[in-house]
Each structure stands twice: as structure tokens, then as C-alpha cells.
């Protein structure tokens, strides 16, 4: 196989399997539970599972692990499909564990016939309390020795809805003294009279994760079933069920969860942020969800690059969000169009300039095919208030009385006079421009150190800009010493209601990404209207994050 990049440990295993002829092609699956939106941790699993069948012969299924009717919803199914596609992957088959409910029910009956499963009347709490501990064996249930006939009859009646929620369960009959607690007669089915988003009211018994997951893998003939490390102890049960049912032998492999700092990657916690309105929804640009990152201006390429760089490991670790930001900054530097936007405007009047002209400026100096755009220039322009200082220190290269600077893609100007209101606030800066200094045709012979971005006053387009900071104030908000909500950063969103933008930005469409010169990377938000542009800041130009300041 392709050997240009070194193989991660799962790729090594598959490479060996293919070389040794254990398989001629492979099948993987990405198995989300549709109970929330996908987050950056899921992106690792998606890139891994789909990446394997890009690299090796075979295909990947998208399987919704929808065995828990209460928390699942088609809204989540749709968002998951959108996110996987947006990341650049296409599945072979779209499958649902609920498609297999009939088959799983038949599997359960087969276990009963073999004397390997029984109906238990104990409650879930009683079962838990009799499980023992890792050092003490569990106790057999008094219902463990029911006859096959009785178990079959009771299980059919469970399915037919004769018993209320929680009255009975179906358990595998393995060994209550097993050293692996998960092998101590695990629950396979529970009664839940609940409406399912796909099967409606057909079922009132639902399979547990351990009974649904491996069997679904087997039905789909998944060769390499990849999950995260917390499922290592489940592997024994996974293998036991496949063996006893004598079905296709899928195998489970585990890798470490990938979590990033200053955020949470758990659907349950993300749901809480949404429900308590701490954020504006699952796709709030501060959220670590795929949809949030998309709205924030992230590119699929940058997320795939991030997953590639963090790689696949066996030990859990917290990845620095700075790496994710590095990846998007690098991609946007190569691809984003440059535009000029002044956030905190102060007016400059060019005393010796009349009329207006349109100046040529590169869309992206990093991209030879990026082309040019025209920017209007006139007698009155805005610059950033912070780009002027009345009493500058030495080596200040921006605008100051008597000092020269270049306006990007335009002319060199000199500050002649500062006009203030009665409170001493600067309201206008009067300058002269040097006609021979036009960018691209500069014959002035003057060299200046500072270049400022600017926007022509009569042509300026007003826009709203949303600036984001970390959602949480600490690296690991789920350290358990406090409720994670306690660590929310109260100033994670700052809105600048009115910045001044160059008029070409009126052409921006939702999702278009830009570099605002000297300001950072921005994307047009879906809240924009033709008369009201809204931009989200994706990331700054440089790594401005100082962990010490936290
Ligand atoms: P959550 O705790 O956020 O609900 P989950 O593991 O329950 O996560 P699933 O929908 O079951 O979410 O996950 C689908 C797949 O994505 C699983 O194979 C799971 O192991 C993997 N996955 C989930 N979170 C991460 C993560 N942080 N890093 C790597 N893989 C992950
Ligand atoms: Mg899960």
C-alpha cells in the first residue's frame, strides 16, 4: 500500500492483515449515536475510519447507533450527515442499528435457546447492587435458573408489551464471578415504552449498547471496528456474543479519545450549554462542534490536517487548541482573500487630494492565481484610531505629527495637523499625500516603515464583527473539582456593532472567508443580510494566546 507517510498503529495492523491475506479488503464504520451534534473529537474518529478505506481497499459505513429512543432525534441524524460530508467523506451505506432490531431480537432468542440468556425480574438497581466489585464476586440472581421455555415465553411477552418499564430485563448467562465485571451476566435488553424516531411504537424493548453494537458490526461484516479506549473492557463481551451466536467475526480495536483544552467534548455537556442558552445553539462559533467550527470559518482541510497531526494513540491526552488554530491559520493564509476593514475608525482628510480613483490591490499575495480587486480611494479615509499617536515613542512607525506612512495599495501620506473637539478627543487628522508614491508606480524615492490599512469614507460599508475568546477559562473544565459550568468565560463574545469595510465585501456570501489586513481571519455569518453584514472572527494573524494570562 501507499507508504509515503508512516503508518499509525491501526494502519500497521491492517497493513499486516492485508499482506498476510487475512482480508483482501476492509470494512470500517463510523457509529455516532444521534443524540447531539458532532464535535472535534468525533472528527478524529471520522478521519481515522474513513481515512483507512481511502488508504486501503474497502469501504466505510455511516451507522447510527440509535438504540436509545429517549435522547435521539432526526435533527441530529441530519446534522451528522451534513458534517461528515462537509469534512470531505462519503459513506458506502447509511445504516441504523434500529434497522437491525428484528435481527437482534432473533439473536436474543437464539441465546435463550442455547441456555445463554435469561429473563430477570430484579430491577436495574438490584442487579447493580449484586454485581460485586472488582475484588469481590457478584451474586447469582434468583431468576438465573429459569428454564429455556420460561425464558422464551417471558421474553416474547416483554416484546409484546405485557410488562411495564423496568419490570424485567434479558441478561446474558455468563459468570457472576468473572474478573471482568462486564461479563457478570450483562443486561442485553430492557423494557422501555418509548417512541423511537425511526421505528415509532413498534418496539417496547430496546437492546443495550453491548448487544447492539457488536452484532450490528457483524451484520455489516465490519472487519475493523474501531472505538475509543473506554471500550477495552467491553471487547471480551463483544467477542463472546459473536462466538456464541456464531456470526461474522468482526474485531474491535481501540484508540485514545482526543479532547482539546479550554473546551468540553461531550455531547451531554454541549447540550447543557445549548439548553441553558450559554451559547446561541449547537453551531455557535464558540462551540467545539463541527458545525460551530464551520460557522467560525474553519475549513474542512484544516480540521483534517489537525486530526492528521495529532495522530492516533493509545493514551488519552488533552490536545492544545493552539494546534487547531495553527492549522486553520495556515490554510487561510494560503486561500483567504485579503480585504481592508477599519474596526475603530478615525477620519483622515487628505488636504491636497481631489476627486476619487480606484486602486488595484492583490487578493492574496500567497496565491499567484488569486487575482486583483479595485479599491476606491478619496479625499477622506478612515484609519484605525490606534494607528495614530500624538506623542509617539522612538521607533513608532505608524502615523504621528510630521511622520510619513504608506496606505496599503495607495499612497504615502504625511500628518500635518490634528483636529480635536472641546474634550480633547481627536476627530480628524489632516494629512497631505505624495502623488508620486502610488503603490506599484512609486517614483517618490521615499521609503517608509509603516503600512496602514484604510477605507474610503464615502465608499465605506458598515458591518458588524463578532470576536470570540475561549469558551472556558481553564484548560480542563471537566477536571471534576467543580461543575464545568463554573469555568465558563463570561467574555467569550465581543460584538463590534459598526466597523467600516471596503465596498467589495458587499459581494460576500455566507461562509466566504477573508483575511482582514492586519486584523485576522473572518467569515461571513449566516445572520448577515444584504444591508447588514456580520463577520465572525475565525482566528488572529498570529498566535496571540497567552496561557499565562488565561
Ligand atoms: P460523547 O461523550 O460526546 O457523547 P460518544 O463517544 O458517546 O461521545 P458517539 O456518538 O457514541 O459519541 O461516538 C461516535 C464515535 O466517535 C465513537 O466511535 C466514539 O468512540 C468516537 N468518539 C467520540 N468522542 C471522541 C473523541 N473525543 N475522540 C475520539 N473519538 C471519539
Ligand atoms: Mg456514546
Amino acid at each position: 500500500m501507499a507508504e509515503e507517510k508512516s503508518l499509525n498503529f491501526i494502519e500497521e495492523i491492517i497493513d499486516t492483515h492485508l499482506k498476510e491475506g487475512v482480508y483482501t479488503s476492509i470494512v470500517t464504520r463510523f457509529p455516532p449515536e444521534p443524540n447531539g451534534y458532532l464535535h472535534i473529537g468525533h472528527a478524529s474518529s471520522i478521519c481515522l475510519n474513513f481515512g483507512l478505506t481511502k488508504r486501503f481497499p474497502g469501504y466505510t459505513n455511516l451507522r447510527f447507533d440509535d438504540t436509545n429512543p429517549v435522547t435521539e432525534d432526526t435533527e441530529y441524524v441530519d446534522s451528522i450527515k451534513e458534517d461528515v460530508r462537509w469534512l470531505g467523506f462519503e459513506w458506502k451505506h447509511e445504516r441504523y442499528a434500529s434497522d437491525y432490531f428484528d435481527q437482534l431480537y432473533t439473536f436474543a432468542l437464539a441465546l435463550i435457546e442455547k441456555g445463554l440468556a435469561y429473563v430477570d425480574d430484579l430491577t436495574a438497581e438490584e442487579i447493580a447492587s449484586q454485581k460485586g466489585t472488582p475484588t469481590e464476586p457478584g451474586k447469582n440472581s434468583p431468576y438465573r435458573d429459569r428454564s429455556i421455555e420460561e425464558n422464551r415465553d417471558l421474553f416474547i411477552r416483554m416484546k409484546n408489551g405485557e410488562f411495564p418499564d423496568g419490570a424485567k430485563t434479558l441478561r446474558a448467562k455468563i459468570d457472576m464471578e468473572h474478573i471482568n465485571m462486564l461479563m457478570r451476566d450483562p443486561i442485553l435488553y430492557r423494557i422501555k415504552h418509548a417512541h423511537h424516531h425511526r421505528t415509532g411504537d413498534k418496539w417496547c424493548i430496546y437492546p443495550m449498547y453491548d448487544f447492539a453494537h457488536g452484532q450490528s458490526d457483524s451484520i455489516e461484516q465490519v472487519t475493523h471496528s474501531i472505538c475509543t479506549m473506554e471500550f477495552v473492557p467491553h471487547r471480551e463481551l463483544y467477542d463472546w456474543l459473536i462466538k456464541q451466536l456464531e456470526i461474522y467475526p468482526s474485531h474491535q480495536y481501540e484508540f485514545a479519545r482526543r479532547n482539546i483544552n479550554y473546551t468540553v467534548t461531550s455531547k451531554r455537556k454541549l447540550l447543557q450549554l445549548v439548553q441553558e442558552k450559554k451559547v446561541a445553539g449547537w453551531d455557535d462559533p464558540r462551540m467545539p462542534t463541527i458545525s460551530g467550527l464551520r460557522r467560525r470559518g474553519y475549513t474542512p482541510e484544516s480540521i483534517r490536517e489537525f486530526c492528521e497531526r495529532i495522530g492516533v494513540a493509545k493514551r488519552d491526552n488533552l490536545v492544545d487548541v493552539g494546534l487547531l488554530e495553527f492549522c486553520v491559520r495556515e490554510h487561510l493564509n494560503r486561500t483567504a482573500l485579503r480585504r481592508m476593514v477599519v474596526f475603530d475608525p478615525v477620519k483622515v482628510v487628505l488636504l491636497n487630494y481631489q476627486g476619487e480613483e480606484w486602486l488595484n490591490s492583490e487578493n492574496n499575495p500567497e496565491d499567484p492565481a488569486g487575482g486583483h480587486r479595485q479599491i476606491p480611494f478619496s479625499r477622506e479615509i478612515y484609519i484605525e484610531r490606534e494607528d495614530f499617536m500624538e506623542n509617539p515613542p522612538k521607533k513608532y512607525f505608524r502615523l504621528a505629527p510630521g511622520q510619513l506612512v504608506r496606505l496599503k495599495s495607495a499612497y504615502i501620506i504625511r500628518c500635518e495637523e490634528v483636529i480635536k473637539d472641546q474634550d480633547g478627543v481627536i476627530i480628524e487628522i489632516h494629512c497631505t499625500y505624495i502623488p508620486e508614491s502610488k503603490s506599484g508606480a512609486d517614483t517618490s524615492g521615499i521609503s517608509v516603515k509603516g503600512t496602514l490599512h484604510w477605507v474610503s469614507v464615502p465608499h465605506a460599508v458598515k458591518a458588524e464583527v463578532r470576536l470570540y475568546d475561549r469558551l472556558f477559562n481553564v484548560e480542563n473544565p471537566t477536571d471534576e473539582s467543580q461543575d464545568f459550568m463554573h469555568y465558563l468565560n463570561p467574555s467569550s463574545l465581543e460584538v463590534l456593532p459598526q466597523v467600516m469595510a471596503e465596498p467589495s465585501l458587499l459581494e460576500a456570501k455566507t461562509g466566504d472567508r477573508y483575511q482582514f489586513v492586519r486584523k485576522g481571519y473572518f467569515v461571513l455569518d449566516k445572520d448577515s443580510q444584504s444591508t447588514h453584514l456580520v463577520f465572525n472572527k475565525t482566528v488572529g494573524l498570529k498566535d496571540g494566546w497567552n496561557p499565562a494570562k488565561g
Side-chain angles (χ1 to χ4, degrees):
M1 275 318 304
E3 226 100 34
E4 66 282 5
K5 268 187 286 184
S6 67
L7 302 180
N8 65 47
F9 80 93
I10 291 178
E11 290 168 339
E12 296 271 10
I13 293 170
I14 293 176
D15 196 44
T16 308
H17 282 160
L18 291 169
K19 280 183 180 142
E20 292 178 351
V22 181
Y23 302 102
T24 50
S25 69
I26 60 164
V27 180
T28 62
R29 85 288 171 265
F30 172 63
E33 185 178 350
N35 60 351
Y37 282 60
L38 296 180
H39 53 62
I40 185 70
H42 292 114
S44 275
S45 176
I46 293 169
C47 290
L48 175 58
N49 279 295
F50 285 91
L52 286 171
T53 54
K54 278 198 168 171
R55 181 164 205 150
F56 299 106
Y59 61 82
T60 302
N61 287 347
L62 175 61
R63 168 158 18 98
F64 292 98
D65 221 337
D66 57 348
T67 54
N68 192 0
V70 191
T71 53
E72 295 162 3
D73 199 277
T74 40
E75 177 198 343
Y76 300 135
V77 169
D78 294 341
S79 77
I80 289 169
K81 283 160 53 174
E82 183 183 356
D83 289 350
V84 173
R85 286 211 174 97
W86 180 77
L87 281 173
F89 299 107
E90 196 51 59
W91 50 90
K92 174 87 167 180
H93 302 295
E94 177 181 331
R95 296 285 190 250
Y96 295 80
S98 58
D99 292 343
Y100 308 136
F101 281 173
D102 283 290
Q103 176 73 71
L104 295 172
Y105 176 71
T106 309
F107 286 156
L109 286 172
L111 285 180
I112 291 172
E113 295 307 323
K114 284 186 142 189
L116 294 173
Y118 62 97
V119 172
D120 198 339
D121 294 2
L122 297 182
T123 63
E125 295 72 45
E126 287 165 335
I127 291 173
S129 73
Q130 302 199 354
K131 270 240 149 147
T133 66
T135 51
E136 289 162 68
K139 277 207 231 43
N140 283 356
S141 164
Y143 304 96
R144 196 171 196 264
D145 292 318
R146 277 176 162 154
S147 68
I148 291 177
E149 292 67 37
E150 192 182 2
N151 282 319
R152 185 198 305 125
D153 174 62
L154 286 172
F155 186 55
I156 291 170
R157 290 167 58 195
M158 275 169 66
K159 178 201 157 215
N160 290 343
E162 290 188 29
F163 308 113
D165 286 6
K168 293 185 186 332
T169 59
L170 183 73
R171 296 177 72 182
K173 191 171 179 175
I174 307 179
D175 179 2
M176 287 306 289
E177 299 186 7
H178 204 288
I179 40 167
N180 181 346
M181 299 269 293
L182 287 164
M183 297 294 277
R184 294 183 188 172
D185 292 10
I187 299 176
L188 305 179
Y189 266 92
R190 66 213 159 114
I191 301 172
K192 194 143 207 122
H193 292 265
H195 187 84
H196 186 279
H197 70 109
R198 294 191 87 237
T199 57
D201 297 317
K202 178 172 174 192
W203 296 90
C204 62
I205 54 170
Y206 289 95
M208 302 299 286
Y209 171 88
D210 284 312
F211 194 62
H213 199 90
Q215 284 39 259
S216 301
D217 285 342
S218 178
I219 292 166
E220 292 172 23
Q221 307 216 339
V222 168
T223 55
H224 298 79
S225 169
I226 298 160
C227 59
T228 39
M229 291 307 279
E230 71 271 24
F231 289 99
V232 168
H234 294 248
R235 194 192 324 129
E236 199 168 7
L237 179 56
Y238 184 104
D239 292 341
W240 186 88
L241 286 166
I242 283 180
K243 178 161 169 256
Q244 302 304 335
L245 291 166
E246 299 172 61
I247 53 179
Y248 180 86
S250 297
H251 289 286
Q252 176 183 301
Y253 302 86
E254 307 88 10
F255 77 111
R257 263 180 190 267
R258 295 313 207 169
N259 298 319
I260 54 177
N261 58 8
Y262 298 101
T263 191
V264 293
T265 41
S266 140
K267 282 179 284 185
R268 193 177 49 77
K269 294 195 171 72
L270 295 172
L271 176 65
Q272 197 180 334
L273 292 170
V274 173
Q275 283 175 338
E276 293 181 17
K277 301 208 179 335
K278 305 293 183 195
V279 293
W282 284 98
D283 69 346
D284 185 296
R286 289 166 291 179
M287 291 280 269
T289 50
I290 307 293
S291 50
L293 291 166
R294 175 165 63 234
R295 193 169 166 195
R296 179 82 173 254
Y298 274 76
T299 60
E301 291 88 339
S302 62
I303 295 176
R304 293 200 304 262
E305 173 68 18
F306 170 73
C307 293
E308 180 67 35
R309 279 175 184 259
I310 61 178
V312 178
K314 276 194 175 272
R315 198 170 308 155
D316 279 2
N317 68 348
L318 202 56
V319 181
D320 190 350
V321 64
L323 179 61
L324 183 61
E325 294 174 345
F326 168 85
C327 292
V328 74
R329 188 181 293 120
E330 225 212 359
H331 188 229
L332 292 176
N333 182 39
R334 286 183 277 125
T335 54
L337 302 176
R338 274 49 172 174
R339 294 293 183 260
M340 292 201 281
V341 179
V342 174
F343 283 18
D344 180 17
V346 62
K347 197 190 275 184
V348 168
V349 180
L350 301 174
L351 301 170
N352 60 340
Y353 189 92
Q354 301 299 333
E356 67 170 56
E357 67 187 296
W358 289 73
L359 301 168
N360 207 31
S361 188
E362 272 176 310
N363 277 327
N364 183 345
E366 305 289 324
D367 177 7
H372 290 80
R373 71 190 187 285
Q374 302 289 307
I375 318 173
F377 185 77
S378 67
R379 181 180 165 86
E380 293 192 343
I381 57 165
Y382 291 122
I383 64 167
E384 298 287 351
R385 195 166 280 276
E386 66 173 24
D387 281 337
F388 177 81
M389 252 181 125
E390 207 172 359
N391 299 299
K394 279 209 175 88
K395 301 210 172 164
Y396 182 81
F397 300 123
R398 292 181 260 172
L399 199 61
Q403 217 159 284
L404 295 156
V405 289
R406 174 169 292 285
L407 297 176
K408 178 156 180 61
S409 301
Y411 298 93
I412 295 172
I413 61 170
R414 176 193 289 115
C415 173
E416 308 290 354
E417 195 185 0
V418 183
I419 313 293
K420 297 180 186 170
D421 65 12
Q422 63 264 52
D423 301 324
V425 178
I426 296 169
I427 45 171
E428 276 182 10
I429 303 167
H430 287 181
C431 296
T432 49
Y433 87 110
I434 296 167
E436 302 77 36
S437 66
K438 188 168 170 173
S439 287
D442 185 354
T443 57
S444 68
I446 304 169
S447 83
V448 291
K449 286 221 165 92
T451 300
L452 306 184
H453 63 281
W454 54 273
V455 171
S456 164
V457 174
H459 302 91
V461 171
K462 297 184 178 92
E464 175 182 324
V465 161
R466 297 175 183 170
L467 307 172
Y468 302 101
D469 199 349
R470 305 285 191 257
L471 195 48
F472 291 91
N473 278 325
V474 294
E475 271 212 278
N476 184 5
T478 53
D479 65 4
E480 308 288 329
S481 67
Q482 299 244 30
D483 181 61
F484 76 104
M485 286 291 199
H486 175 83
Y487 296 119
L488 266 178
N489 175 2
S491 41
S492 56
L493 169 64
E494 184 191 350
V495 177
L496 305 181
Q498 199 174 90
V499 303
M500 297 296 176
E502 66 169 87
S504 68
L505 282 168
L506 280 175
E507 295 160 20
K509 289 184 283 303
T510 303
D512 282 355
R513 305 179 185 95
Y514 300 94
Q515 183 195 95
F516 290 174
V517 174
R518 298 176 68 226
K519 287 286 171 193
Y521 294 97
F522 292 81
V523 62
L524 192 76
D525 191 73
K526 66 176 184 185
D527 287 347
S528 294
Q529 285 151 8
S530 57
T531 50
H532 182 73
L533 301 178
V534 179
F535 290 97
N536 296 322
K537 183 170 180 177
T538 311
V539 69
L541 293 176
K542 292 197 202 93
D543 187 359
W545 174 248
N546 177 357
K549 265 171 42 190

